[in-house]
Amino acid sequence: MPDRHILLIATYNLGKVAELKDLFGKTPVELRHLGDFDNIIEAAETGSSFAENAQIKARSYALQTHIMALADDSGLEVEALDGRPGVFSARYGGEETSFSEKIAILLDELGSAHDVHRRAQFSCAIAIADPSGKILRTVVGKCTGRIACEPRGNGGFGYDPIFVPDGYNQTFGELAAGIKQKISHRAVAFREIIPFLLDYIAI
Ligand code: IMP
């Protein structure tokens, strides 16, 4: 009988694991990450949505490690660009381009579009698979806003310097990290998945 208290976070990013450790706090969930295992084969992100990619990763890593796995997939969707860069956010403009180049390409594509045409959202999908690879739950958290006319601020990462969340005038690059941690797509998704997990392990 697999131990329901052990959860694999499907990442090598220790920062992400540390953030989650904080979120799980004093709960009985014991976290593992991909670095705890040898010979892991990387799951190809071939899905056409964030949810599909999160499910592909959760299923693959649960099957490889034989423990319950949580995987996430996230990115930026710009309305006037028909949802691009979307699932290609990390690969937009080529795998090797820096984020300042990706941002420049995006701003160029968007041109001088007026504010109403600069609507955008960050999405974060999280999927959990049991050790047999069965998907137990998928949630998608969103943070809506607009694309600024030029990059502003040095905080955060990725597209943060050009994303202005609704209710604010500053970009995620300018806002205090604590604000992003409360309102981001990732925060929304994790707030939804954690009660599910706690219920699941309590059974
Ligand atoms: P991943 O799902 O963590 O691999 O993220 C995919 C890509 O989406 C990242 O490389 C970034 O380009 C973008 N992205 C996801 N979340 C954020 C965010 O909070 N700020 C800025 N960019 C993000």
Side-chain angles (χ1 to χ4, degrees):
M1 178 77 177
D3 188 335
R4 284 187 175 212
H5 295 87
I6 301 180
L7 175 68
L8 171 79
I9 306 299
T11 184
Y12 288 99
N13 181 337
L14 293 181
K16 219 178 228 183
V17 179
E19 242 179 68
L20 280 173
K21 273 203 173 123
D22 273 356
L23 281 172
F24 282 107
K26 291 193 172 35
T27 66
V29 180
E30 250 185 71
L31 299 185
R32 303 276 187 275
H33 65 99
L34 290 175
D36 294 327
F37 297 84
D38 291 327
N39 306 319
I40 294 286
I41 297 167
E42 191 182 345
E45 296 182 24
T46 51
S48 56
S49 65
F50 300 116
E52 256 184 80
N53 277 337
Q55 289 172 350
I56 289 169
K57 290 189 271 187
R59 193 177 296 121
S60 165
Y61 296 124
L63 284 169
Q64 292 189 63
T65 59
H66 312 290
I67 62 176
M68 179 162 65
L70 178 156
D72 69 337
D73 195 52
S74 57
L76 176 69
E77 294 167 297
V78 181
E79 208 173 285
L81 301 181
D82 297 323
R84 288 194 313 276
V87 290
F88 297 105
S89 292
R91 295 164 270 173
Y92 188 55
E95 307 245 356
E96 303 303 323
T97 52
S98 66
F99 264 97
S100 50
E101 287 169 301
K102 290 182 201 305
I103 284 175
I105 296 169
L106 196 150
L107 289 177
D108 200 44
E109 268 202 274
L110 206 48
S112 55
H114 190 265
D115 258 12
V116 286
H117 299 300
R118 302 182 82 89
R119 298 289 310 153
Q121 62 181 21
F122 272 124
S123 293
C124 172
I126 299 178
I128 296 184
D130 76 7
S132 76
K134 181 179 158 212
I135 298 294
L136 299 173
R137 183 77 163 224
T138 307
V139 300
V140 182
K142 290 184 189 298
C143 179
T144 57
R146 64 188 162 81
I147 301 298
C149 291
E150 72 285 308
R152 299 196 311 254
N154 299 315
F157 69 98
Y159 297 95
D160 281 348
I162 52 166
F163 185 79
V164 180
D166 285 339
Y168 295 86
N169 292 315
Q170 292 131 299
T171 66
F172 266 161
E174 294 173 308
L175 286 167
I179 295 180
K180 183 177 175 193
Q181 273 156 25
K182 280 204 189 86
I183 66 170
S184 80
H185 46 311
R186 214 166 285 108
V188 173
F190 276 107
R191 271 202 295 273
E192 194 176 336
I193 205 89
I194 285 179
F196 163 77
L197 258 176
L198 296 180
D199 266 5
Y200 182 76
I201 63 173
I203 292 167

